[in-house]
Amino acid sequence: MEFPSLEGIRVFERGWLSSNQVLIPAAAGESGALLIDSGHGLHSEQTVSLLRAELQGQGLRAVLNTHLHSDHCGGNARLQRAFGAEVWVPEGEAALARHWEEAALSHALSGQYLPRFKVQRSVAAGEIVEAGGLVWELLAAPGHDPHALMLFERERGLLISGDALWERGHAVVFPELVGESGFEEALWTLETIEHLPVRCVVPGHGRAFADVATSLRHARECLIRWQRDPFMHARHALRVLVKYHLMEVGREPLAATLIWAAGVPLLRRMWERFAPVGVASPASWCEQVLGELLGRGLARRVGDEVLDTA
């Protein structure tokens, strides 16, 4: 096995629309398996199929979300229906999700699809979760999302990092887009990881990796560049949001993409704070960035339609 830390644990590496999922099978005396993150709602049927094949009749006790972005919790509702699983979410967002305060949840702010789910339990940094006969420490991971959590199994040196640490680069730091602090918190999270005896990281996207020092260095360099030039970070974030939208819809008329951009609250706030002089609206800024995606081959134009590309 490439990573001994992962023995007995199944990682479903999914891509970018859906986050990775980590399945921790139940040990003797446990009521069912634990799944970390559930992917996107549009992929939830596939997620159910993958889990059925892997569980082989074993129950699914719960889904624990590292944070409540649509690519990490979009499968919650279907997994609740299919397996009767509980959903555990970070404490900082539990009340919003329980009452489904749409205007305050990240998927609505960023114009993304997320089926409503029920919350059975909130979890917080400092708690211990036992799963698979292992002891998992819940660690705060602010930055990308202020309420995010990581899971660390100290005996194996296994870190499930969510979007706090990738093998290369760093995730968008969403608080900074709306005038809140996030870069310093993200750097604090990297420092937290650096002081852990980590031997293997399962990130929210991409393959598992062991060269933690190199990944931390790349992440720090990325964050420091963004700190020095918040406009660079904002333009990167806009590209990410537009590309993510195209991944959700697959293809649509350009006019529909621009209507979507005009109605997304986060894009309007970003436009107000970061758009270059002369960009008249969020839709105009989106159209500029869409041109960059087309130029890089990250989207394609066919007649009056825009298509996502892999």
PDB file of all heavy atoms in Angstrom, residues 27-64:
ATOM      1  N   ALA A  27     -15.787  -0.343  13.052  1.00  0.00           N
ATOM      2  CA  ALA A  27     -15.091  -1.398  13.786  1.00  0.00           C
ATOM      3  C   ALA A  27     -16.108  -2.135  14.662  1.00  0.00           C
ATOM      4  O   ALA A  27     -17.276  -1.734  14.770  1.00  0.00           O
ATOM      5  CB  ALA A  27     -13.988  -0.783  14.648  1.00  0.00           C
ATOM      6  N   ALA A  28     -15.667  -3.212  15.274  1.00  0.00           N
ATOM      7  CA  ALA A  28     -16.545  -3.989  16.146  1.00  0.00           C
ATOM      8  C   ALA A  28     -17.132  -3.085  17.227  1.00  0.00           C
ATOM      9  O   ALA A  28     -16.420  -2.294  17.855  1.00  0.00           O
ATOM     10  CB  ALA A  28     -15.759  -5.129  16.789  1.00  0.00           C
ATOM     11  N   GLY A  29     -18.444  -3.196  17.409  1.00  0.00           N
ATOM     12  CA  GLY A  29     -19.120  -2.411  18.435  1.00  0.00           C
ATOM     13  C   GLY A  29     -19.610  -1.062  17.969  1.00  0.00           C
ATOM     14  O   GLY A  29     -20.340  -0.383  18.697  1.00  0.00           O
ATOM     15  N   GLU A  30     -19.235  -0.639  16.757  1.00  0.00           N
ATOM     16  CA  GLU A  30     -19.708   0.639  16.223  1.00  0.00           C
ATOM     17  C   GLU A  30     -20.960   0.416  15.387  1.00  0.00           C
ATOM     18  O   GLU A  30     -21.118  -0.632  14.745  1.00  0.00           O
ATOM     19  CB  GLU A  30     -18.615   1.313  15.388  1.00  0.00           C
ATOM     20  CG  GLU A  30     -17.398   1.706  16.223  1.00  0.00           C
ATOM     21  CD  GLU A  30     -16.271   2.311  15.395  1.00  0.00           C
ATOM     22  OE1 GLU A  30     -16.371   2.307  14.147  1.00  0.00           O
ATOM     23  OE2 GLU A  30     -15.286   2.772  15.997  1.00  0.00           O
ATOM     24  N   SER A  31     -21.837   1.398  15.365  1.00  0.00           N
ATOM     25  CA  SER A  31     -23.146   1.217  14.738  1.00  0.00           C
ATOM     26  C   SER A  31     -23.137   1.372  13.225  1.00  0.00           C
ATOM     27  O   SER A  31     -24.142   1.104  12.565  1.00  0.00           O
ATOM     28  CB  SER A  31     -24.144   2.211  15.341  1.00  0.00           C
ATOM     29  OG  SER A  31     -23.707   3.545  15.147  1.00  0.00           O
ATOM     30  N   GLY A  32     -22.050   1.814  12.652  1.00  0.00           N
ATOM     31  CA  GLY A  32     -21.967   1.964  11.204  1.00  0.00           C
ATOM     32  C   GLY A  32     -20.748   2.766  10.823  1.00  0.00           C
ATOM     33  O   GLY A  32     -20.023   3.292  11.675  1.00  0.00           O
ATOM     34  N   ALA A  33     -20.514   2.859   9.521  1.00  0.00           N
ATOM     35  CA  ALA A  33     -19.353   3.580   8.998  1.00  0.00           C
ATOM     36  C   ALA A  33     -19.552   5.084   9.124  1.00  0.00           C
ATOM     37  O   ALA A  33     -20.677   5.579   9.282  1.00  0.00           O
ATOM     38  CB  ALA A  33     -19.129   3.187   7.540  1.00  0.00           C
ATOM     39  N   LEU A  34     -18.451   5.808   9.027  1.00  0.00           N
ATOM     40  CA  LEU A  34     -18.477   7.270   9.021  1.00  0.00           C
ATOM     41  C   LEU A  34     -17.914   7.743   7.686  1.00  0.00           C
ATOM     42  O   LEU A  34     -16.862   7.274   7.243  1.00  0.00           O
ATOM     43  CB  LEU A  34     -17.630   7.824  10.167  1.00  0.00           C
ATOM     44  CG  LEU A  34     -17.534   9.353  10.276  1.00  0.00           C
ATOM     45  CD1 LEU A  34     -18.884   9.953  10.641  1.00  0.00           C
ATOM     46  CD2 LEU A  34     -16.471   9.758  11.302  1.00  0.00           C
ATOM     47  N   LEU A  35     -18.616   8.675   7.049  1.00  0.00           N
ATOM     48  CA  LEU A  35     -18.162   9.263   5.788  1.00  0.00           C
ATOM     49  C   LEU A  35     -17.796  10.723   6.028  1.00  0.00           C
ATOM     50  O   LEU A  35     -18.573  11.475   6.607  1.00  0.00           O
ATOM     51  CB  LEU A  35     -19.262   9.183   4.728  1.00  0.00           C
ATOM     52  CG  LEU A  35     -18.877   9.687   3.330  1.00  0.00           C
ATOM     53  CD1 LEU A  35     -17.905   8.722   2.657  1.00  0.00           C
ATOM     54  CD2 LEU A  35     -20.110   9.902   2.453  1.00  0.00           C
ATOM     55  N   ILE A  36     -16.612  11.100   5.569  1.00  0.00           N
ATOM     56  CA  ILE A  36     -16.200  12.490   5.654  1.00  0.00           C
ATOM     57  C   ILE A  36     -16.477  13.155   4.310  1.00  0.00           C
ATOM     58  O   ILE A  36     -15.897  12.784   3.296  1.00  0.00           O
ATOM     59  CB  ILE A  36     -14.693  12.619   5.999  1.00  0.00           C
ATOM     60  CG1 ILE A  36     -14.329  11.736   7.194  1.00  0.00           C
ATOM     61  CG2 ILE A  36     -14.347  14.083   6.256  1.00  0.00           C
ATOM     62  CD1 ILE A  36     -15.128  11.991   8.449  1.00  0.00           C
ATOM     63  N   ASP A  37     -17.416  14.097   4.311  1.00  0.00           N
ATOM     64  CA  ASP A  37     -17.863  14.863   3.150  1.00  0.00           C
ATOM     65  C   ASP A  37     -18.648  13.983   2.171  1.00  0.00           C
ATOM     66  O   ASP A  37     -18.458  12.765   2.100  1.00  0.00           O
ATOM     67  CB  ASP A  37     -16.714  15.597   2.470  1.00  0.00           C
ATOM     68  CG  ASP A  37     -16.223  16.786   3.300  1.00  0.00           C
ATOM     69  OD1 ASP A  37     -17.021  17.328   4.075  1.00  0.00           O
ATOM     70  OD2 ASP A  37     -15.040  17.155   3.175  1.00  0.00           O
ATOM     71  N   SER A  38     -19.532  14.632   1.414  1.00  0.00           N
ATOM     72  CA  SER A  38     -20.465  13.861   0.588  1.00  0.00           C
ATOM     73  C   SER A  38     -20.509  14.295  -0.868  1.00  0.00           C
ATOM     74  O   SER A  38     -21.334  13.797  -1.633  1.00  0.00           O
ATOM     75  CB  SER A  38     -21.882  13.960   1.183  1.00  0.00           C
ATOM     76  OG  SER A  38     -22.352  15.303   1.152  1.00  0.00           O
ATOM     77  N   GLY A  39     -19.632  15.214  -1.278  1.00  0.00           N
ATOM     78  CA  GLY A  39     -19.589  15.593  -2.675  1.00  0.00           C
ATOM     79  C   GLY A  39     -20.724  16.526  -3.068  1.00  0.00           C
ATOM     80  O   GLY A  39     -21.437  17.078  -2.231  1.00  0.00           O
ATOM     81  N   HIS A  40     -20.888  16.716  -4.359  1.00  0.00           N
ATOM     82  CA  HIS A  40     -21.880  17.633  -4.911  1.00  0.00           C
ATOM     83  C   HIS A  40     -23.222  16.936  -5.108  1.00  0.00           C
ATOM     84  O   HIS A  40     -23.282  15.730  -5.371  1.00  0.00           O
ATOM     85  CB  HIS A  40     -21.377  18.188  -6.245  1.00  0.00           C
ATOM     86  CG  HIS A  40     -22.136  19.386  -6.723  1.00  0.00           C
ATOM     87  ND1 HIS A  40     -23.339  19.293  -7.378  1.00  0.00           N
ATOM     88  CD2 HIS A  40     -21.873  20.721  -6.630  1.00  0.00           C
ATOM     89  CE1 HIS A  40     -23.778  20.502  -7.673  1.00  0.00           C
ATOM     90  NE2 HIS A  40     -22.905  21.381  -7.229  1.00  0.00           N
ATOM     91  N   GLY A  41     -24.293  17.717  -5.035  1.00  0.00           N
ATOM     92  CA  GLY A  41     -25.627  17.151  -5.217  1.00  0.00           C
ATOM     93  C   GLY A  41     -25.843  16.516  -6.564  1.00  0.00           C
ATOM     94  O   GLY A  41     -26.572  15.521  -6.681  1.00  0.00           O
ATOM     95  N   LEU A  42     -25.222  17.059  -7.608  1.00  0.00           N
ATOM     96  CA  LEU A  42     -25.401  16.491  -8.946  1.00  0.00           C
ATOM     97  C   LEU A  42     -24.717  15.138  -9.094  1.00  0.00           C
ATOM     98  O   LEU A  42     -25.023  14.386 -10.022  1.00  0.00           O
ATOM     99  CB  LEU A  42     -24.869  17.458 -10.001  1.00  0.00           C
ATOM    100  CG  LEU A  42     -25.629  18.784 -10.131  1.00  0.00           C
ATOM    101  CD1 LEU A  42     -24.965  19.671 -11.171  1.00  0.00           C
ATOM    102  CD2 LEU A  42     -27.095  18.540 -10.495  1.00  0.00           C
ATOM    103  N   HIS A  43     -23.781  14.817  -8.197  1.00  0.00           N
ATOM    104  CA  HIS A  43     -23.086  13.531  -8.232  1.00  0.00           C
ATOM    105  C   HIS A  43     -23.581  12.578  -7.154  1.00  0.00           C
ATOM    106  O   HIS A  43     -22.990  11.523  -6.945  1.00  0.00           O
ATOM    107  CB  HIS A  43     -21.578  13.741  -8.035  1.00  0.00           C
ATOM    108  CG  HIS A  43     -20.904  14.412  -9.182  1.00  0.00           C
ATOM    109  ND1 HIS A  43     -19.611  14.906  -9.105  1.00  0.00           N
ATOM    110  CD2 HIS A  43     -21.330  14.675 -10.448  1.00  0.00           C
ATOM    111  CE1 HIS A  43     -19.279  15.441 -10.277  1.00  0.00           C
ATOM    112  NE2 HIS A  43     -20.300  15.319 -11.096  1.00  0.00           N
ATOM    113  N   SER A  44     -24.673  12.927  -6.474  1.00  0.00           N
ATOM    114  CA  SER A  44     -25.062  12.160  -5.290  1.00  0.00           C
ATOM    115  C   SER A  44     -25.520  10.742  -5.614  1.00  0.00           C
ATOM    116  O   SER A  44     -25.302   9.823  -4.823  1.00  0.00           O
ATOM    117  CB  SER A  44     -26.150  12.903  -4.516  1.00  0.00           C
ATOM    118  OG  SER A  44     -27.303  13.101  -5.304  1.00  0.00           O
ATOM    119  N   GLU A  45     -26.127  10.540  -6.781  1.00  0.00           N
ATOM    120  CA  GLU A  45     -26.536   9.177  -7.154  1.00  0.00           C
ATOM    121  C   GLU A  45     -25.305   8.286  -7.316  1.00  0.00           C
ATOM    122  O   GLU A  45     -25.289   7.129  -6.861  1.00  0.00           O
ATOM    123  CB  GLU A  45     -27.351   9.210  -8.444  1.00  0.00           C
ATOM    124  CG  GLU A  45     -27.948   7.865  -8.816  1.00  0.00           C
ATOM    125  CD  GLU A  45     -28.877   7.946 -10.009  1.00  0.00           C
ATOM    126  OE1 GLU A  45     -29.224   9.061 -10.444  1.00  0.00           O
ATOM    127  OE2 GLU A  45     -29.262   6.866 -10.515  1.00  0.00           O
ATOM    128  N   GLN A  46     -24.267   8.833  -7.933  1.00  0.00           N
ATOM    129  CA  GLN A  46     -23.022   8.078  -8.067  1.00  0.00           C
ATOM    130  C   GLN A  46     -22.394   7.823  -6.698  1.00  0.00           C
ATOM    131  O   GLN A  46     -21.851   6.742  -6.443  1.00  0.00           O
ATOM    132  CB  GLN A  46     -22.044   8.836  -8.961  1.00  0.00           C
ATOM    133  CG  GLN A  46     -20.745   8.073  -9.214  1.00  0.00           C
ATOM    134  CD  GLN A  46     -19.730   8.909  -9.966  1.00  0.00           C
ATOM    135  OE1 GLN A  46     -19.559  10.088  -9.668  1.00  0.00           O
ATOM    136  NE2 GLN A  46     -19.060   8.313 -10.942  1.00  0.00           N
ATOM    137  N   THR A  47     -22.472   8.809  -5.812  1.00  0.00           N
ATOM    138  CA  THR A  47     -21.933   8.632  -4.464  1.00  0.00           C
ATOM    139  C   THR A  47     -22.619   7.487  -3.752  1.00  0.00           C
ATOM    140  O   THR A  47     -21.967   6.654  -3.107  1.00  0.00           O
ATOM    141  CB  THR A  47     -22.089   9.929  -3.651  1.00  0.00           C
ATOM    142  OG1 THR A  47     -21.404  10.994  -4.324  1.00  0.00           O
ATOM    143  CG2 THR A  47     -21.513   9.779  -2.251  1.00  0.00           C
ATOM    144  N   VAL A  48     -23.929   7.397  -3.875  1.00  0.00           N
ATOM    145  CA  VAL A  48     -24.676   6.295  -3.253  1.00  0.00           C
ATOM    146  C   VAL A  48     -24.209   4.959  -3.817  1.00  0.00           C
ATOM    147  O   VAL A  48     -23.984   3.996  -3.070  1.00  0.00           O
ATOM    148  CB  VAL A  48     -26.191   6.479  -3.459  1.00  0.00           C
ATOM    149  CG1 VAL A  48     -26.954   5.208  -3.064  1.00  0.00           C
ATOM    150  CG2 VAL A  48     -26.699   7.658  -2.634  1.00  0.00           C
ATOM    151  N   SER A  49     -24.037   4.894  -5.127  1.00  0.00           N
ATOM    152  CA  SER A  49     -23.591   3.638  -5.750  1.00  0.00           C
ATOM    153  C   SER A  49     -22.206   3.237  -5.261  1.00  0.00           C
ATOM    154  O   SER A  49     -21.954   2.059  -4.956  1.00  0.00           O
ATOM    155  CB  SER A  49     -23.581   3.785  -7.277  1.00  0.00           C
ATOM    156  OG  SER A  49     -24.883   4.014  -7.770  1.00  0.00           O
ATOM    157  N   LEU A  50     -21.302   4.191  -5.184  1.00  0.00           N
ATOM    158  CA  LEU A  50     -19.952   3.903  -4.694  1.00  0.00           C
ATOM    159  C   LEU A  50     -19.987   3.386  -3.257  1.00  0.00           C
ATOM    160  O   LEU A  50     -19.288   2.420  -2.908  1.00  0.00           O
ATOM    161  CB  LEU A  50     -19.085   5.160  -4.764  1.00  0.00           C
ATOM    162  CG  LEU A  50     -18.680   5.644  -6.161  1.00  0.00           C
ATOM    163  CD1 LEU A  50     -18.092   7.046  -6.092  1.00  0.00           C
ATOM    164  CD2 LEU A  50     -17.675   4.681  -6.794  1.00  0.00           C
ATOM    165  N   LEU A  51     -20.809   4.001  -2.442  1.00  0.00           N
ATOM    166  CA  LEU A  51     -20.881   3.591  -1.037  1.00  0.00           C
ATOM    167  C   LEU A  51     -21.518   2.214  -0.891  1.00  0.00           C
ATOM    168  O   LEU A  51     -21.059   1.395  -0.084  1.00  0.00           O
ATOM    169  CB  LEU A  51     -21.663   4.625  -0.233  1.00  0.00           C
ATOM    170  CG  LEU A  51     -20.944   5.945   0.017  1.00  0.00           C
ATOM    171  CD1 LEU A  51     -21.877   6.946   0.686  1.00  0.00           C
ATOM    172  CD2 LEU A  51     -19.714   5.729   0.894  1.00  0.00           C
ATOM    173  N   ARG A  52     -22.581   1.951  -1.639  1.00  0.00           N
ATOM    174  CA  ARG A  52     -23.219   0.626  -1.542  1.00  0.00           C
ATOM    175  C   ARG A  52     -22.222  -0.475  -1.887  1.00  0.00           C
ATOM    176  O   ARG A  52     -22.168  -1.517  -1.221  1.00  0.00           O
ATOM    177  CB  ARG A  52     -24.422   0.552  -2.477  1.00  0.00           C
ATOM    178  CG  ARG A  52     -25.644   1.323  -2.014  1.00  0.00           C
ATOM    179  CD  ARG A  52     -26.891   0.825  -2.725  1.00  0.00           C
ATOM    180  NE  ARG A  52     -27.994   1.757  -2.598  1.00  0.00           N
ATOM    181  CZ  ARG A  52     -28.736   1.921  -1.520  1.00  0.00           C
ATOM    182  NH1 ARG A  52     -28.470   1.211  -0.434  1.00  0.00           N
ATOM    183  NH2 ARG A  52     -29.730   2.785  -1.513  1.00  0.00           N
ATOM    184  N   ALA A  53     -21.448  -0.240  -2.934  1.00  0.00           N
ATOM    185  CA  ALA A  53     -20.467  -1.243  -3.344  1.00  0.00           C
ATOM    186  C   ALA A  53     -19.404  -1.447  -2.279  1.00  0.00           C
ATOM    187  O   ALA A  53     -18.931  -2.570  -2.051  1.00  0.00           O
ATOM    188  CB  ALA A  53     -19.835  -0.839  -4.671  1.00  0.00           C
ATOM    189  N   GLU A  54     -19.023  -0.369  -1.614  1.00  0.00           N
ATOM    190  CA  GLU A  54     -17.946  -0.453  -0.632  1.00  0.00           C
ATOM    191  C   GLU A  54     -18.436  -0.953   0.723  1.00  0.00           C
ATOM    192  O   GLU A  54     -17.749  -1.727   1.404  1.00  0.00           O
ATOM    193  CB  GLU A  54     -17.293   0.925  -0.471  1.00  0.00           C
ATOM    194  CG  GLU A  54     -15.985   0.919   0.270  1.00  0.00           C
ATOM    195  CD  GLU A  54     -14.866   0.215  -0.501  1.00  0.00           C
ATOM    196  OE1 GLU A  54     -14.898   0.227  -1.749  1.00  0.00           O
ATOM    197  OE2 GLU A  54     -13.963  -0.340   0.156  1.00  0.00           O
ATOM    198  N   LEU A  55     -19.627  -0.539   1.118  1.00  0.00           N
ATOM    199  CA  LEU A  55     -20.141  -0.911   2.439  1.00  0.00           C
ATOM    200  C   LEU A  55     -20.549  -2.381   2.515  1.00  0.00           C
ATOM    201  O   LEU A  55     -20.489  -2.997   3.585  1.00  0.00           O
ATOM    202  CB  LEU A  55     -21.339  -0.029   2.802  1.00  0.00           C
ATOM    203  CG  LEU A  55     -21.015   1.426   3.157  1.00  0.00           C
ATOM    204  CD1 LEU A  55     -22.294   2.265   3.197  1.00  0.00           C
ATOM    205  CD2 LEU A  55     -20.299   1.499   4.500  1.00  0.00           C
ATOM    206  N   GLN A  56     -21.015  -2.931   1.386  1.00  0.00           N
ATOM    207  CA  GLN A  56     -21.409  -4.350   1.325  1.00  0.00           C
ATOM    208  C   GLN A  56     -22.361  -4.718   2.468  1.00  0.00           C
ATOM    209  O   GLN A  56     -22.173  -5.703   3.179  1.00  0.00           O
ATOM    210  CB  GLN A  56     -20.161  -5.245   1.347  1.00  0.00           C
ATOM    211  CG  GLN A  56     -19.262  -5.023   0.151  1.00  0.00           C
ATOM    212  CD  GLN A  56     -18.069  -5.949   0.121  1.00  0.00           C
ATOM    213  OE1 GLN A  56     -17.862  -6.770   1.013  1.00  0.00           O
ATOM    214  NE2 GLN A  56     -17.252  -5.847  -0.916  1.00  0.00           N
ATOM    215  N   GLY A  57     -23.384  -3.894   2.630  1.00  0.00           N
ATOM    216  CA  GLY A  57     -24.406  -4.190   3.626  1.00  0.00           C
ATOM    217  C   GLY A  57     -24.187  -3.532   4.976  1.00  0.00           C
ATOM    218  O   GLY A  57     -25.107  -3.490   5.806  1.00  0.00           O
ATOM    219  N   GLN A  58     -22.993  -3.041   5.235  1.00  0.00           N
ATOM    220  CA  GLN A  58     -22.749  -2.338   6.495  1.00  0.00           C
ATOM    221  C   GLN A  58     -23.510  -1.011   6.486  1.00  0.00           C
ATOM    222  O   GLN A  58     -23.681  -0.384   5.450  1.00  0.00           O
ATOM    223  CB  GLN A  58     -21.248  -2.071   6.660  1.00  0.00           C
ATOM    224  CG  GLN A  58     -20.869  -1.453   8.002  1.00  0.00           C
ATOM    225  CD  GLN A  58     -19.365  -1.212   8.125  1.00  0.00           C
ATOM    226  OE1 GLN A  58     -18.896  -0.096   7.944  1.00  0.00           O
ATOM    227  NE2 GLN A  58     -18.621  -2.268   8.419  1.00  0.00           N
ATOM    228  N   GLY A  59     -23.972  -0.575   7.631  1.00  0.00           N
ATOM    229  CA  GLY A  59     -24.693   0.679   7.723  1.00  0.00           C
ATOM    230  C   GLY A  59     -23.771   1.887   7.633  1.00  0.00           C
ATOM    231  O   GLY A  59     -22.561   1.790   7.826  1.00  0.00           O
ATOM    232  N   LEU A  60     -24.379   3.035   7.328  1.00  0.00           N
ATOM    233  CA  LEU A  60     -23.658   4.301   7.339  1.00  0.00           C
ATOM    234  C   LEU A  60     -24.195   5.107   8.514  1.00  0.00           C
ATOM    235  O   LEU A  60     -25.320   5.592   8.494  1.00  0.00           O
ATOM    236  CB  LEU A  60     -23.865   5.057   6.022  1.00  0.00           C
ATOM    237  CG  LEU A  60     -23.093   6.371   5.870  1.00  0.00           C
ATOM    238  CD1 LEU A  60     -21.585   6.129   5.851  1.00  0.00           C
ATOM    239  CD2 LEU A  60     -23.519   7.110   4.596  1.00  0.00           C
ATOM    240  N   ARG A  61     -23.376   5.233   9.531  1.00  0.00           N
ATOM    241  CA  ARG A  61     -23.804   5.907  10.759  1.00  0.00           C
ATOM    242  C   ARG A  61     -24.016   7.402  10.531  1.00  0.00           C
ATOM    243  O   ARG A  61     -25.016   7.972  10.974  1.00  0.00           O
ATOM    244  CB  ARG A  61     -22.741   5.697  11.835  1.00  0.00           C
ATOM    245  CG  ARG A  61     -22.952   6.535  13.092  1.00  0.00           C
ATOM    246  CD  ARG A  61     -21.986   6.211  14.230  1.00  0.00           C
ATOM    247  NE  ARG A  61     -20.588   6.119  13.860  1.00  0.00           N
ATOM    248  CZ  ARG A  61     -19.580   6.550  14.628  1.00  0.00           C
ATOM    249  NH1 ARG A  61     -19.828   7.113  15.801  1.00  0.00           N
ATOM    250  NH2 ARG A  61     -18.335   6.401  14.249  1.00  0.00           N
ATOM    251  N   ALA A  62     -23.065   8.052   9.870  1.00  0.00           N
ATOM    252  CA  ALA A  62     -23.135   9.506   9.744  1.00  0.00           C
ATOM    253  C   ALA A  62     -22.246  10.000   8.625  1.00  0.00           C
ATOM    254  O   ALA A  62     -21.305   9.332   8.204  1.00  0.00           O
ATOM    255  CB  ALA A  62     -22.724  10.172  11.064  1.00  0.00           C
ATOM    256  N   VAL A  63     -22.574  11.199   8.170  1.00  0.00           N
ATOM    257  CA  VAL A  63     -21.717  11.985   7.289  1.00  0.00           C
ATOM    258  C   VAL A  63     -21.237  13.180   8.104  1.00  0.00           C
ATOM    259  O   VAL A  63     -22.052  13.910   8.676  1.00  0.00           O
ATOM    260  CB  VAL A  63     -22.476  12.489   6.048  1.00  0.00           C
ATOM    261  CG1 VAL A  63     -21.552  13.323   5.166  1.00  0.00           C
ATOM    262  CG2 VAL A  63     -23.091  11.340   5.273  1.00  0.00           C
ATOM    263  N   LEU A  64     -19.926  13.365   8.159  1.00  0.00           N
ATOM    264  CA  LEU A  64     -19.347  14.515   8.857  1.00  0.00           C
ATOM    265  C   LEU A  64     -18.775  15.450   7.798  1.00  0.00           C
ATOM    266  O   LEU A  64     -17.894  15.072   7.036  1.00  0.00           O
ATOM    267  CB  LEU A  64     -18.258  14.060   9.831  1.00  0.00           C
ATOM    268  CG  LEU A  64     -17.735  15.088  10.838  1.00  0.00           C
ATOM    269  CD1 LEU A  64     -17.034  14.368  11.999  1.00  0.00           C
ATOM    270  CD2 LEU A  64     -16.775  16.101  10.229  1.00  0.00           C
TER     271      LEU A  64
END
